[in-house]
Amino acid sequence: MNYHIVINSVKTVEEFKDAWTNADYIELLDRFGFPGAEKSKPEELEELLFMAISDFEGHEAAAILLDYKLSEHLTEGQIDQMSHDMLLDKISEEYSDISLHHELFNINQLLFKAYNGTFPSAKATIVEFEITPNEGVTKEVMLKVLDKTLANSSVITRLYADQLAGKEAFDEAEDIVWELKATGDNSYIMTTSEYWISRDEFKDAEFDATIAIFEEEED
């Protein structure tokens, strides 16, 4: 498969503006001992949450957030351990289950902001690009296309060389790319962790790419 791609921008961000809804803030405020927050002005909810969080130790606040967002994926023991680990490590980059990295990033960055830097800060990468043809543009396809312009030192290039080359299935692509959204006929926006793809790793702003899709052998 052959593609032509134009990279319009690559940004590094510390948070996503739509990561938390007003409903999230209201529920979290209740969990942090501030009931009735639905009566507050929407623009005040985040600040109220930070005030409520300040009454808790960092690991206690982390446990509440992890329970709220990931209780279906983590045991009570895992949440307790992770709530302490988050104060020291970038769990949103290091946790073994990469399907949780996106939610862990949002949790980590809320805590980083609430505690004025007590928690390590993680970063995300937003790529805006145009691609032709625009048929069949999936997360897997985009990682394989972008691999053609990424530095050899890129983590994704080093860890998933066979998958990127089409020699193995690349199921991990669904979790490495957090969002892939069309913004026009041929234009897209893609978000991922800076751990996987950083702004400094891009070598070309416009290039052609030929990629291979893995096909399982029939029995």
Side-chain angles (χ1 to χ4, degrees):
M1 298 175 68
N2 301 307
Y3 293 94
H4 181 77
I5 186 166
V6 178
I7 306 293
N8 292 322
S9 73
V10 183
K11 301 174 184 175
T12 302
V13 299
E14 293 188 347
E15 64 178 338
F16 298 119
K17 299 300 183 185
D18 60 351
W20 303 92
T21 65
N22 288 341
D24 287 326
Y25 288 135
I26 291 168
E27 173 61 27
L28 285 170
L29 278 161
D30 186 62
R31 295 187 182 211
F32 279 101
F34 192 101
E38 64 274 3
K39 300 173 185 177
S40 303
K41 296 178 180 178
E43 61 271 19
E44 296 176 349
L45 290 172
E46 183 182 69
E47 189 60 34
L48 287 171
L49 178 60
F50 290 169
M51 291 172 60
I53 284 178
S54 67
D55 290 333
F56 292 76
E57 295 292 331
H59 69 92
E60 294 174 330
I64 291 171
L65 284 162
L66 289 166
D67 179 71
Y68 173 58
K69 278 292 188 178
L70 297 174
S71 60
E72 294 183 1
H73 304 279
L74 300 172
T75 66
E76 186 175 332
Q78 287 173 319
I79 288 174
D80 181 64
Q81 181 64 50
M82 192 179 293
S83 68
H84 288 84
D85 292 344
M86 289 182 75
L87 285 158
L88 303 172
D89 304 313
K90 295 181 182 181
I91 296 299
S92 63
E93 297 177 0
E94 299 176 10
Y95 191 61
S96 58
D97 186 349
I98 65 173
S99 70
L100 303 185
H101 281 196
H102 189 185
E103 286 290 7
L104 288 172
F105 172 83
N106 291 331
I107 292 168
N108 187 88
Q109 293 312 103
L110 189 149
L111 290 166
F112 171 78
K113 194 173 179 181
Y115 284 95
N116 296 313
T118 299
F119 286 78
S121 179
K123 292 181 173 63
T125 301
I126 301 176
V127 186
E128 295 185 41
F129 61 91
E130 298 171 37
I131 186 169
T132 51
N134 66 349
E135 292 87 8
V137 177
T138 64
K139 293 179 178 182
E140 177 181 353
V141 166
M142 281 317 306
L143 289 179
K144 290 181 175 181
V145 168
L146 292 177
D147 180 56
K148 305 302 181 183
T149 192
L150 294 177
N152 292 333
S153 59
S154 168
V155 171
I156 189 174
T157 298
R158 290 188 283 111
L159 293 183
Y160 296 103
D162 288 342
Q163 290 87 342
L164 289 166
K167 297 177 182 179
E168 295 182 11
F170 198 7
D171 298 333
E172 297 88 351
E174 289 299 313
D175 297 317
I176 292 171
V177 175
W178 292 346
E179 184 178 41
L180 178 64
K181 181 172 64 177
T183 57
D185 290 340
N186 296 87
S187 57
Y188 292 80
I189 185 168
M190 187 187 93
T191 62
T192 185
S193 170
E194 186 189 48
Y195 171 76
W196 296 118
I197 299 176
S198 75
R199 187 177 185 276
D200 296 337
E201 292 169 347
F202 284 80
K203 296 182 291 187
D204 306 295
E206 184 172 358
F207 58 96
D208 295 306
T210 300
I211 67 169
I213 300 297
F214 175 74
E215 295 184 5
E216 294 188 27
E217 296 182 1
E218 296 184 4
D219 296 331

